[in-house]
Each structure stands twice: as C-alpha cells, then as structure tokens.
Amino acid sequence: MEPKSLIIALFLLSLFFGSLSATPTRKIKARNPCKRLVFYFHDIIYNGKNSNNATSAMVGAPAWANTTIMAGQSHFGDLIVFDDPITLDNNLHSTPVGRAQGFYLYDRKDIFTAWMGFSFVFNSTQHKGSINFAGADPLMNKTRDISVVGGTGDFFMARGIATLMTDAFEGEVYFRLRVDIKLYECW
Amino acid sequence: MEPKSLIIALFLLSLFFGSLSATPTRKIKARNPCKRLVFYFHDIIYNGKNSNNATSAMVGAPAWANTTIMAGQSHFGDLIVFDDPITLDNNLHSTPVGRAQGFYLYDRKDIFTAWMGFSFVFNSTQHKGSINFAGADPLMNKTRDISVVGGTGDFFMARGIATLMTDAFEGEVYFRLRVDIKLYECW
Amino acid sequence: MEPKSLIIALFLLSLFFGSLSATPTRKIKARNPCKRLVFYFHDIIYNGKNSNNATSAMVGAPAWANTTIMAGQSHFGDLIVFDDPITLDNNLHSTPVGRAQGFYLYDRKDIFTAWMGFSFVFNSTQHKGSINFAGADPLMNKTRDISVVGGTGDFFMARGIATLMTDAFEGEVYFRLRVDIKLYECW
C-alpha cells in the first residue's frame, strides 16, 4: 500500500472509530450474563403472635377474609408487605447483606401463585444501590423467572432475569427464597 | 491496490468485524416492532354473589368504603387483584391461552383512571414464559399505552409498549381488554 | 491509492455503513442523560377530615392498624394510592403540568422506608405521554434513586433513573417530592 493509500484508509477507518466512540456508552449486552449474583431472603409473616420477629405483614385481603389469617382459596387476594433480610447463604441468622423490600400478592384461587414488586437494597462496602424486580411468581414450580426491571448505584440501569427457588417453607409463617440474579444489560 | 495493501486493509477491517462480533448480543432494537401480539383478557369482579366464576377481588379500599362494593368517587383507592383468562379472540368462553395475573388500583377521584402491574403468563405449546407490564391506565380513553418492562422464557428480556382498549364493559362486574403488544427490544 | 483500490476500500466500508444503518434503531444510549427533567409533586393524605383536597388515601393497613390513621412502627404496612398534581416549581398552587398516579407502601418497622410504583402522566402541549417508575424509596435519606422502567408517547421506551428529594414535609398530611429525572435510553 502506498503511504498515501494507507493514510486514506486509516482516515476512513478513523471515521468509524470516531463515530463509534462518539457514543459515550458503557452498556454491555450479552446473551451470557454480564453479572451474576446469588442471594437468599427470609420472610417471616405476621400471624398475630410474632410481632417482634415478623418481617412482613398482610395489609390487604378480600371481603371474605381478614388481614390476620391467610385467606382460603390459595390465599387469593392476600397482599403482603415485606422488609426481609438478605443473606449470602441459606441461614436466617447469617449477617444480612441487604434488605428485600416490597410486596407480593396471591392472585389465584385454585393453586398458589403470586405477583411481586420489590427491590434488593444494599448499603455495605460490598454493594451500594438497589435492584428492582417485578413479575409473576408461580410458586409451586421448582424454579421460576421474574424480571430485573432496573437498578441504581452499583446496579445502575441493570436489566435481567432472576430465577427464584423456594429453599424452605414452614407452614404460613416462614419461607426462604433463593434468588439467582442474571444481568444481561450492565453499564 | 497491491496485494499487500489489500491484506492490510482487510486486516484492519477484520479488527472491526472482530470487535463487533465479540459482543455476543442477539438483541434487536427497532422502531418498528420486532414482535407483535394481540390478546384479550377477561375480568370478572367479585361482588359478594359470584364467588364461583369471579376472577378478581377487591383487597384494598379507602376508609370511607369497603372491599365488597366499589367505592364512590370513581372507585378511588380500590385495589383489585386478578387472575384473568387470556384468549385469542373476544369470546370469554374461548379456550384460554394464558393467564393475566396481577393488580390494578383506581387512583383518581373525579374520573376513572387506574394503575396496573401485571404479567401475562403462558405455558402452552405456542408460548412459554411471561410478559411483565406496568403503567397508568386512563381507562376512559379509547386507547392508552402502558409499558412492557420485561419478559422471561420466549419473551426473554422483552421491552415495548402495550396498547389497551376496553373491548366490553358490563357495569361493575365484567370488562374485557384488548391488548396489542408491540415489542421493540427482542433477544 | 489506485482508483481501483479506493473503490474496493469504499465498497468494504460501505458494507459497514450498510450493516449499521440496516438496524432501524433510533435508540440513544449515553452515560450522560439524553434527557433530563425536573418536576415536583404534591401529596395530601386523607386523614378523615380533608376529603375535599386530599390527593391520596390509605387503602391497606396491617391487622394492628386501620386505614384512617397512619400505623405505628414507621407506618409499616400502610398502602397509599395517590393522584397528585405535578408542578414545575415547588408551589402547590402552581398550574399542574401533569399527574403523578400510583401507590406507595411503607415497608419497614424501625425506620421510614417505602416502595413505589407510579407514573407521571402528561397531556399538555409541552408533554404528551407517560413515564413509569418503580423502586425502593428510603425516604429518610436526603436523596435516593428509583428506576424509570419505561415510557410512552413523548417518552416512548425511556429508561433511566429518578433522584427523589423530600422538598417539604408537614406531619402526616402533606409532603412534596422533587423528582430529577435522568433518562439514559431515549428513542
């Protein structure tokens, strides 16, 4: 290639690089997760007797029920608000690394299913910021996916999927969810 | 161009192709929908007498009302949980292809408006997975748009818009929504 | 560069431009906001006496409380539905430019925190469409971020962050939030 040819070629290529780098994006899109995190969270439902250590409470119920005892018909219509500790392992007594905060509501009469809107809120040396979730939780399935619809702080603009698994279940008082977060959009 | 020049040029170009293909993305972004789906869903509201075929129930209401009869002032404050059949046409008795699950709440005193958070949940040979929706529903408008904030399964990472249209309305017991889903981000 | 070389080089480059422009996207991704908007919204909570000018009402509460008076324990479990005026400045009596509609729920027993799902709904010459928000609101913090999970109309497919600041607070009857919306995905 003549020197002149090389200059022209490099100039043309620089137009590309220039136009690409002019988009000041740090977004990474990937079919494989760009970030993966696994947590557990623990929900202790208020039942009229455990006000000291309950982490959630029923705040809505259909006309045929009340907000103290879970409704019949697969708890259909019960709305629960929660502020649950997040741990790195499946031990309720491990030091929490954050809080899972939001709500779920039972939305089916014949089997147990729920709809959830909640956030993982972190404020530690390891993670600062929040991850926001929404979606259907057909909780009788061994695993089920909900959406990561956004994030803030360390999780700025995150999007992805969270795979939920019921890791333990004790009647209507305690359950523990394993949450396998796979982010496919990272900034 | 000398052979050597051509090799250099191709090499430089291959750097581009390489860097582009190194981003393992299958995301398609389009001003025209990359996927479009139309469904109907049917909401039969519990009114104290129809517990057998009701698909939704009021679970929250303001202090001046109760959860059996819709509140005055445009139902302001009424919160409804639903598990509604999704059909391909506008016939309530068609075979459901999925379930619409979540909640809506009436949020205005002078006219009817609602806010909705719900999912379409599919588990058939045609569609497996869920589409998650959120947004304001000014339901007196002929059509109105809400957001598709995420999806799972066949609708992995979907984003878009859903145009809602009230297709039928029978007092305070039944309504049918036509949902025209337009996805602009498909993976 | 020989004319022929130049033609080949331009042809190869055109393949690039072609493949890029074949993606009919108008999406802009930026580390700096592609759009920024600041609004205020005003929440007047129904307390049993102010039904005329209240813009929000409690519609869910835990078993130990009721929907007229805010619950103890940092209002844990109280669910509030709102339809609040949006203004450009911090004056409650300024002409509203839109409505903030949705819900928030208090979700912690020891300090005040909330979880919010709501929309800004605009229908003026300046803005038409909606912006949809979701996320945790640790409202004792001076500022806190929630997610913009989608939008419609002028805000079609928007994503970003909204920084909330409590601009005024009068007991349990009135508060005013400053919302600094920063969109990082614009179409």
Side-chain angles (χ1 to χ4, degrees):
Chain A
M1 201 184 264
E2 301 295 315
K4 200 176 121 196
S5 308
L6 191 58
I7 288 165
I8 293 170
L10 287 174
F11 172 71
L12 288 171
L13 288 174
S14 74
L15 288 181
F16 272 119
F17 277 116
S19 67
L20 288 176
S21 63
T23 309
T25 177
R26 282 178 50 198
K27 190 174 183 175
I28 300 161
K29 290 161 288 161
R31 191 65 175 177
N32 294 319
C34 41
K35 190 174 262 187
R36 191 162 180 179
L37 299 154
V38 176
F39 295 107
Y40 295 81
F41 74 90
H42 308 260
D43 196 57
I44 302 170
I45 305 154
Y46 177 73
N47 65 356
K49 298 168 202 157
N50 58 353
S51 60
N52 281 341
N53 62 353
T55 63
S56 69
M58 214 190 311
V59 308
W64 60 81
N66 62 55
T67 53
T68 305
I69 307 297
M70 288 283 192
Q73 298 191 90
S74 306
H75 306 169
F76 179 69
D78 285 345
L79 168 66
I80 288 91
V81 170
F82 62 92
D83 166 43
D84 291 348
I86 301 170
T87 57
L88 293 175
D89 60 19
N90 66 1
N91 188 338
L92 169 62
H93 303 292
S94 295
T95 306
V97 297
R99 309 295 298 186
Q101 300 180 326
F103 72 97
Y104 55 90
L105 44 84
Y106 290 94
D107 56 12
R108 194 159 171 176
K109 287 193 285 188
D110 50 349
I111 57 167
F112 291 101
T113 65
W115 200 89
M116 310 187 79
F118 66 102
S119 301
F120 275 11
V121 180
F122 300 100
N123 187 14
S124 70
T125 49
Q126 205 174 357
H127 300 299
K128 279 195 202 309
S130 64
I131 305 174
N132 299 320
F133 304 85
D137 177 12
L139 54 93
M140 302 305 281
N141 296 359
K142 196 182 174 195
T143 65
R144 55 273 182 192
D145 288 343
I146 60 171
S147 288
V148 174
V149 297
T152 67
D154 291 352
F155 308 99
F156 177 74
M157 293 290 285
R159 287 192 79 228
I161 297 287
T163 301
L164 306 181
M165 197 180 77
T166 304
D167 193 58
F169 192 83
E170 291 171 17
E172 297 181 353
V173 174
Y174 173 75
F175 68 79
R176 178 171 67 234
L177 286 189
R178 183 182 184 273
V179 184
D180 182 353
I181 301 170
K182 288 156 277 190
L183 303 181
Y184 296 90
E185 291 190 14
C186 303
W187 285 61
Chain B
M1 201 185 265
E2 301 294 316
K4 200 178 124 197
S5 308
L6 191 59
I7 288 163
I8 293 171
L10 287 174
F11 172 71
L12 288 170
L13 288 174
S14 73
L15 288 181
F16 273 120
F17 278 115
S19 68
L20 288 176
S21 62
T23 309
T25 177
R26 282 180 49 200
K27 189 175 184 175
I28 300 162
K29 289 161 290 164
R31 191 64 177 178
N32 295 319
C34 42
K35 189 173 261 185
R36 191 163 179 177
L37 299 155
V38 176
F39 295 107
Y40 294 81
F41 74 89
H42 307 261
D43 196 58
I44 303 169
I45 305 154
Y46 177 73
N47 65 357
K49 298 167 202 159
N50 58 352
S51 60
N52 280 343
N53 61 352
T55 64
S56 69
M58 213 188 316
V59 308
W64 59 81
N66 63 55
T67 53
T68 305
I69 308 295
M70 287 284 192
Q73 299 192 86
S74 307
H75 306 170
F76 179 70
D78 284 346
L79 168 66
I80 288 91
V81 170
F82 62 94
D83 166 43
D84 291 349
I86 300 171
T87 57
L88 292 175
D89 60 18
N90 65 2
N91 188 337
L92 170 62
H93 303 292
S94 295
T95 305
V97 297
R99 309 295 297 185
Q101 301 181 324
F103 72 97
Y104 55 90
L105 45 85
Y106 290 95
D107 56 13
R108 194 159 170 177
K109 287 193 286 187
D110 49 350
I111 57 168
F112 290 100
T113 63
W115 200 91
M116 310 187 80
F118 66 103
S119 302
F120 274 12
V121 181
F122 300 99
N123 187 13
S124 69
T125 48
Q126 204 173 358
H127 300 298
K128 280 196 201 308
S130 63
I131 305 175
N132 299 320
F133 304 86
D137 177 11
L139 53 95
M140 302 305 281
N141 296 359
K142 195 182 173 196
T143 64
R144 54 273 181 191
D145 289 343
I146 61 170
S147 289
V148 174
V149 298
T152 67
D154 291 352
F155 308 99
F156 177 73
M157 291 291 284
R159 287 191 79 226
I161 296 288
T163 300
L164 306 181
M165 196 179 77
T166 305
D167 193 57
F169 193 82
E170 291 170 16
E172 297 181 352
V173 174
Y174 173 74
F175 68 79
R176 178 171 68 234
L177 287 187
R178 183 184 185 273
V179 185
D180 183 353
I181 301 168
K182 288 156 279 191
L183 303 181
Y184 296 90
E185 291 190 15
C186 302
W187 285 61
Chain C
M1 202 183 265
E2 301 294 316
K4 199 176 123 198
S5 308
L6 191 59
I7 288 164
I8 293 171
L10 286 174
F11 171 72
L12 289 170
L13 288 174
S14 75
L15 288 181
F16 272 120
F17 278 116
S19 67
L20 288 177
S21 63
T23 310
T25 177
R26 282 180 50 200
K27 190 174 184 178
I28 300 162
K29 291 161 288 160
R31 190 65 176 179
N32 294 320
C34 42
K35 190 174 261 186
R36 191 164 179 177
L37 299 154
V38 176
F39 295 107
Y40 294 81
F41 73 90
H42 307 261
D43 196 58
I44 302 170
I45 305 155
Y46 177 73
N47 66 356
K49 298 166 201 159
N50 59 352
S51 60
N52 280 341
N53 60 354
T55 64
S56 69
M58 214 190 309
V59 307
W64 59 81
N66 63 56
T67 53
T68 306
I69 307 297
M70 287 284 194
Q73 298 191 89
S74 307
H75 305 170
F76 179 70
D78 284 345
L79 168 66
I80 287 93
V81 170
F82 62 93
D83 167 43
D84 291 348
I86 300 171
T87 57
L88 293 174
D89 60 17
N90 66 2
N91 188 338
L92 170 62
H93 303 294
S94 295
T95 306
V97 297
R99 307 295 297 185
Q101 300 181 325
F103 72 96
Y104 55 90
L105 46 84
Y106 290 94
D107 56 13
R108 192 158 170 177
K109 288 193 284 187
D110 49 350
I111 57 167
F112 290 101
T113 63
W115 200 90
M116 311 187 79
F118 66 102
S119 301
F120 275 12
V121 181
F122 299 100
N123 188 14
S124 69
T125 48
Q126 205 174 356
H127 300 298
K128 280 197 201 309
S130 64
I131 306 175
N132 300 320
F133 304 86
D137 177 12
L139 54 94
M140 302 305 281
N141 296 0
K142 195 181 173 196
T143 64
R144 54 273 181 192
D145 290 343
I146 61 171
S147 289
V148 174
V149 297
T152 67
D154 291 352
F155 308 100
F156 176 75
M157 292 290 284
R159 287 192 78 228
I161 296 287
T163 301
L164 307 180
M165 196 179 78
T166 305
D167 193 58
F169 193 83
E170 291 171 15
E172 297 180 353
V173 174
Y174 173 74
F175 67 79
R176 179 170 67 233
L177 285 189
R178 183 182 185 275
V179 184
D180 183 352
I181 301 169
K182 287 156 279 190
L183 303 180
Y184 296 90
E185 291 191 15
C186 303
W187 286 61

